[in-house]
Amino acid sequence: MQPARPTPMRQRPARHGGKKPSWQRTGVVLLCGFLVWVLLDATVLQRNAIVLGQQGSRQTAALDILDPLVRIARALHLDSAAAGLNESLGRTAEGGFVYRTVPSTTRPVGPTTTTTLPRVPTARHRLRVLIIGDSIGEDLAFPLQNDLTATGVVAVNVDARIDTGLNNLAYFNWVKELRGDVFADRPQLIIGMMGVNDFHSFIGPPSLPFNTRAWRAQYQRTVATMFSIGTQGGTKILWVSVPIIQDKGLNGLLQAVRDLQHKEARLWHVDYFNSDSVLSPHDRYTAYLRVGGQLALVRVPSDGIHLEPAGADLLANAVMRAIRTDLHLRL
């Protein structure tokens, strides 16, 4: 007889010492990855909540969560790494993505469409004009609106906001506003004057100190976006420069704003009107000018920036002449 074969012993499954099942480990890894992403991108998420979100309980709740995360990210300098990645992906310092209408490497070399300006507007077919600006733009806007309306052949809309500009879109997003204005009003001519508040750093992300190379590049992109939106469909833009102001130090800072606006105006075929030709004829700040043969106060003495009614009327008259001569409109 052959000896009986020993019964093989079944091996017991190894115990994993309390390790979590694979699906739980996967969930933990995904959660950790999500938290890292939120921390890296917290500044952009915060900016989007401010710029793109609507005021209300949802925005408040989002900012209550994001604000402490932003402080952590900045303390650990994580926002700098995220800023570089966002830039490489085409995301801007205002949050969100670059508007597709703005070319990144090329500029328009000529008018892309035939202008929609009617050379001889009539009471039946009025010229549609949109005037935009900050507080000093508002000084110009209302006398200019009166002058244009008095022709009987122009329909004017004004969108002027004090304390606004092109370097703090979190406070007031002029890019978003102009898009809405163009859609709603379908202007054939846009007249703009703003920039007196743009001598500050971009608050981020990323934070860009005023007049550094990065600041100038971002400011130029924002101005280009405005001009791109404004000139689409053949609409003409007449851009009025910020005039020389009384404070010499601040005036020096604003020169960077003037230079970049003028540079983009040339690239986008925007008609640029130098307000100093009217308000500062000798290339220096002037509080009084001769108007109708008499000296008149043309600038607000308390700040040396804004326009008195006589100065606003003087500039509005000059802009009207530019519309007739430079744009060849019979008004």
Side-chain angles (χ1 to χ4, degrees):
M1 289 180 63
Q2 293 183 351
R5 293 181 181 179
T7 303
M9 296 182 63
R10 295 182 179 178
Q11 294 184 349
R12 294 181 179 180
R15 295 182 179 180
H16 296 283
K19 289 186 177 179
K20 296 179 180 179
S22 59
W23 66 268
Q24 289 184 336
R25 293 198 301 272
T26 302
V28 171
V29 171
L30 292 175
L31 178 60
C32 291
F34 173 76
L35 292 176
V36 169
W37 169 76
V38 170
L39 193 60
L40 286 171
D41 223 25
T43 48
V44 171
L45 295 173
Q46 180 199 51
R47 192 60 176 267
N48 286 344
I50 295 172
V51 175
L52 304 178
Q54 295 182 348
Q55 292 185 349
S57 57
R58 292 180 63 180
Q59 184 190 56
T60 301
L63 293 176
D64 287 342
I65 296 171
L66 290 171
D67 288 347
L69 293 176
V70 169
R71 288 193 290 270
I72 294 172
R74 287 179 174 169
L76 298 176
H77 301 288
L78 297 177
D79 59 327
S80 299
L85 178 61
N86 290 332
E87 186 70 19
S88 67
L89 293 175
R91 303 179 78 171
T92 67
E94 71 203 38
F97 291 90
V98 175
Y99 292 96
R100 295 296 182 188
T101 52
V102 182
S104 57
T105 57
T106 58
R107 301 291 183 181
V109 295
T112 55
T113 57
T114 303
T115 178
T116 59
L117 286 179
R119 296 306 179 192
V120 186
T122 65
R124 185 175 180 180
H125 300 285
R126 297 188 179 189
L127 174 69
R128 298 186 302 275
V129 175
L130 170 67
I131 305 175
I132 61 173
D134 52 17
S135 57
I136 197 169
E138 186 179 56
D139 293 342
L140 166 66
F142 294 110
L144 181 57
Q145 180 184 29
N146 292 336
D147 291 346
L148 288 168
T149 303
T151 65
V153 296
V154 180
V156 186
N157 287 313
V158 174
D159 190 355
R161 311 296 179 109
I162 64 173
D163 297 328
T164 64
L166 300 179
N167 75 326
N168 189 358
L169 301 184
Y171 176 73
F172 185 82
N173 193 331
W174 263 113
V175 169
K176 186 178 179 180
E177 183 74 7
L178 182 59
R179 281 194 156 194
D181 287 341
V182 169
F183 177 80
D185 301 334
R186 296 181 298 112
Q188 297 162 299
L189 171 62
I190 298 173
I191 302 171
M193 184 182 188
M194 68 176 72
V196 75
N197 300 308
D198 289 350
F199 57 92
H200 301 288
S201 301
F202 283 101
I203 62 175
S207 179
L208 304 178
F210 174 75
N211 209 20
T212 58
R213 177 183 292 183
W215 183 94
R216 293 173 69 87
Q218 178 57 38
Y219 188 80
Q220 199 166 337
R221 282 194 294 268
T222 304
V223 176
T225 304
M226 293 286 287
F227 288 167
S228 172
I229 295 169
T231 55
Q232 62 186 351
T235 300
K236 292 290 290 183
I237 296 179
L238 177 62
W239 196 261
V240 183
S241 71
V242 176
I244 293 173
I245 65 174
Q246 188 174 26
D247 187 304
K248 292 183 178 180
L250 182 56
N251 186 66
L253 298 179
L254 286 176
Q255 191 57 47
V257 172
R258 300 185 190 99
D259 291 344
L260 292 176
Q261 290 185 358
H262 194 190
K263 180 178 181 179
E264 285 300 315
R266 291 196 301 269
L267 292 171
W268 286 94
H269 308 286
V270 166
D271 287 85
Y272 186 85
F273 183 83
N274 184 1
S275 62
D276 290 333
S277 63
V278 179
L279 299 173
S280 304
H282 303 293
D283 293 328
R284 63 175 182 269
Y285 176 82
T286 306
Y288 289 87
L289 290 172
R290 289 198 172 274
V291 180
Q294 295 182 339
L295 278 179
L297 181 65
V298 296
R299 307 294 287 272
V300 175
S302 59
D303 62 19
I305 298 175
H306 292 89
L307 307 181
E308 289 283 357
D313 289 339
L314 195 66
L315 183 58
N317 291 337
V319 171
M320 287 291 293
R321 289 194 297 271
I323 293 173
R324 292 186 175 107
T325 59
D326 298 344
L327 302 182
H328 309 290
L329 286 170
R330 298 181 185 177
L331 299 180

